[in-house]
Amino acid sequence: MKMRPNNLKTRIFLDGGNADETKEIVELLGFLDGQTTNPTLISKNPGARKRLESGEKFSPVEIYDFYRGVVKTLSGLMPRGSVSIEVYADAATKAGAMLKQGHEMFSWIPNAHIKFPTSREGLKAAAQAIQEGLRVNMTLCFSQEQAAAVHAATRGAKKGEVFVSPFIGRLDDRGENGMDVIANIIRMYRNGDGHVEVLTASVRNRDHFLYALKLGSDIITAPYDVLKAWGEQGMPVPGNDYHYDAELLKPIPYKELDLNSRWEDLDIRHELTEKGMERFSADWNALIKMEKRKIA
Ligand code: E4P
């Protein structure tokens, strides 16, 4: 029977919205520590695709029920894992509206982490969510400043209650070395109290995955193809001789930041966070008929 490799310290999540893939990966690896979903991934779920292809979109209530059904199935497959559920957030969505959705989604399953964007409103919502007993996963993080703000905004939370998801593939896509952000955040968090766990996200290939393991990321979420290939190769865990080749990607230098700053004082704006919110909300809205398309 397959088992987690003894030298694997990182928790492994699947990045996806299709429970059939989850079942396959659980069988292949012999374990899976959790799953991350997002509006784009839910829009690619085969059930959602089939319905859209038949020419029928979802009503706002139906799409919400559909998302709940998917995460309930995932939760059942990994009762001791974590399942991340993302709130709808476009440029106009206020913290209060995000928080309201977060509470509703958190009630769907016992092992939820609620994804809020690492924007001003998202951080406001997360700070409040932590006070109110929710677990959070701060998504669309692209900078060390944003990760410092997550640490500051969720101060007082216990380990396990807060993840931060730096997106490496989308930085690579525009010529910057996304893996530097992972290395920099892990280094910066050594000065912190350990309550925020780094969840390497937007993994596109085997080298992202292996280097995140070598860097000691607390968690990695990877798409089906990457996890499948890793499982088929016998789940290798890289040693000290592993070298990540960033090729021509532009390095992202480390910054000295004070984790005790107020999060409101940090420069957390990032163009890719805004673009990411636009894309997630557009993918979600494309699933819905009726004018009022939001899930809350
Ligand atoms: C996971 O939490 C993220 O939403 C996901 O990894 C984003 O990946 P992408 O940049 O490939 O869309």
Side-chain angles (χ1 to χ4, degrees):
M1 199 178 92
K2 290 212 188 88
M3 277 169 58
R4 165 192 294 276
N6 280 336
N7 53 348
L8 177 67
K9 305 287 175 247
T10 295
R11 283 162 12 245
I12 307 298
F13 287 13
L14 173 66
D15 199 18
N18 175 358
D20 292 339
E21 292 182 349
T22 311
K23 279 185 211 145
E24 248 190 75
I25 294 295
V26 171
E27 246 166 63
L28 175 69
L29 305 185
F31 75 95
L32 188 62
D33 300 307
Q35 179 142 354
T36 46
T37 69
N38 69 37
T40 305
L41 293 170
I42 293 300
S43 76
K44 290 182 181 158
N45 172 287
R49 290 254 59 87
K50 205 168 152 203
R51 178 159 173 164
L52 255 65
E53 277 154 20
S54 75
E56 205 196 333
K57 291 194 173 189
F58 293 86
S59 74
V61 172
E62 284 169 343
I63 190 62
Y64 210 45
D65 286 347
F66 181 79
Y67 197 1
R68 182 172 49 209
V70 172
V71 299
K72 271 182 178 287
T73 308
L74 298 178
S75 172
L77 293 169
M78 292 165 289
R80 288 200 299 273
S82 151
V83 179
S84 285
I85 316 172
E86 184 156 340
V87 301
Y88 176 94
D90 60 28
T93 313
K94 293 289 180 203
M98 292 187 206
L99 188 60
K100 188 167 166 240
Q101 294 176 64
H103 272 287
E104 168 63 26
M105 290 167 158
F106 197 72
S107 74
W108 289 352
I109 52 171
N111 48 349
H113 276 79
I114 300 302
K115 287 172 101 179
F116 294 111
T118 314
S119 60
R120 292 226 153 247
E121 293 302 312
L123 282 159
K124 237 191 262 176
Q128 193 60 29
I130 284 296
Q131 301 291 325
E132 295 174 6
L134 270 56
R135 290 178 294 272
V136 304
N137 174 358
M138 300 308 293
T139 192
L140 291 166
C141 171
F142 294 94
S143 74
Q144 225 190 294
E145 285 87 341
Q146 287 175 310
V150 169
H151 193 282
T154 58
R155 206 171 281 126
K158 289 199 236 25
K159 187 168 176 175
E161 291 177 348
V162 185
F163 303 154
V164 65
S165 290
F167 274 35
I168 56 186
R170 295 190 194 188
L171 284 163
D172 282 14
D173 288 347
R174 62 175 207 177
E176 295 177 67
N177 183 7
M179 289 309 300
D180 277 346
V181 173
I182 302 297
N184 294 343
I185 295 171
I186 290 174
R187 177 173 163 195
M188 174 176 72
Y189 277 179
R190 287 201 193 108
N191 303 321
D193 61 10
H195 81 273
V196 185
E197 294 181 284
V198 177
L199 192 166
T200 299
S202 186
V203 165
R204 300 278 162 75
N205 57 50
R206 171 189 154 89
D207 281 310
H208 284 155
F209 186 82
L210 292 181
Y211 190 35
L213 284 181
K214 184 175 172 191
L215 287 171
S217 184
D218 298 287
I219 306 163
I220 306 175
T221 191
Y224 170 80
D225 290 345
V226 172
L227 285 189
K228 187 164 185 274
W230 181 66
E232 286 170 350
Q233 285 152 11
M235 298 189 262
V237 178
N240 286 338
D241 55 338
Y242 174 81
H243 171 73
Y244 177 71
D245 188 0
E247 294 173 1
L248 296 175
L249 295 171
K250 192 171 154 234
I252 301 177
Y254 182 77
K255 291 181 188 160
E256 290 298 340
L257 296 175
D258 183 3
L259 288 175
N260 294 316
S261 315
R262 277 165 28 97
W263 72 263
E264 294 89 340
D265 296 336
L266 289 156
D267 179 14
I268 58 128
R269 230 204 109 235
H270 200 288
E271 193 196 351
L272 291 182
T273 305
E274 288 160 20
K275 282 198 174 149
M277 288 169 69
E278 261 170 46
R279 190 164 121 199
F280 282 150
S281 47
D283 285 344
W284 187 256
N285 288 336
L287 295 168
I288 304 171
K289 48 192 178 198
M290 304 196 24
E291 275 131 61
K292 194 165 171 11
R293 291 173 152 184
K294 297 178 187 175
I295 57 176

